[in-house]
Amino acid sequence: REYVVEVASAPQFPWNIPGFELTGPYINHGTPLPVTLTLRLADDVWIVALVEGPYLKMVKLKVTGQESYEHLATRYDTGYAASCAVQKTFNEACFKGTAANAQQYPVSFKAVQGAWVLGNDGQVCNQVCPDFTHCDSGMQSSLTTNDLLKAAMAEAGYECKSFGAKGRNYGGAPFATPRAEDNCYPFLDSDPNVKSSCSSNKHGHHRALCFCKACIDLTGAYEY
């Protein structure tokens, strides 16, 4: 006898990428290089780039899976503005120059499906992450610079007003404080044995920034 069991639909989460690399024979004589410039557009579309010699090398892609993507366009430019070589000012208008094919700069990455969520005062990430997700300590530990933290906070709907002089690696980091003069703190990666915690928050007035990774896909129906 056949039964159909309906399972509650899990929310859909965007793909987050801890780091991209450009690869292929036209990158560093065949040795991959890490991307230093990223711009996230709508619907999992990204522009990723790096500067090598006189060239700003760029790829526009749509992430479709953990390690898969749809190539949209490739460009290289020698007449780029200085602002296009800086993460803070890299923008969609920088994507110009000479067109190239998809094989020119293949992109490598390992994406994680989930979302950045900012907790309330004193909450730990295991409390913050909603149903169908769990805290990903590794993603949180990757926020080691102000620029990375600022971008992740923005995805969580929060704007960092300022940054502390140095990151922190105790429970709750990375985090936001209520203070205007040192509002946001990235994770301090000074000890390889210490990772961002999912179960502690040292200070009751700190708001932990949590990466809530999607669990297995529970959408659809199962047949028995």
Side-chain angles (χ1 to χ4, degrees), residues 119-190:
N120 294 323
D121 288 353
Q123 278 189 310
V124 303
C125 287
N126 283 340
Q127 297 171 316
V128 173
C129 288
D131 292 344
F132 302 107
T133 71
H134 62 90
C135 166
D136 188 324
S137 173
M139 287 289 286
Q140 293 160 200
S141 301
S142 72
L143 300 182
T144 56
T145 69
N146 292 345
D147 284 342
L148 289 172
L149 178 60
K150 181 179 180 180
M153 284 284 193
E155 288 188 35
Y158 187 84
E159 182 181 357
C160 288
K161 302 170 185 65
S162 60
F163 298 91
K166 189 171 74 169
R168 300 287 188 267
N169 61 8
Y170 50 66
F175 57 83
T177 76
R179 299 183 296 268
E181 66 274 12
D182 60 336
N183 181 216
C184 293
Y185 280 81
F187 186 78
L188 179 65
D189 60 347
S190 58

Side-chain angles (χ1 to χ4, degrees), residues 3-15:
Y3 298 91
V4 176
V5 179
E6 295 292 337
V7 180
S9 294
Q12 296 299 304
F13 294 98
W15 290 105

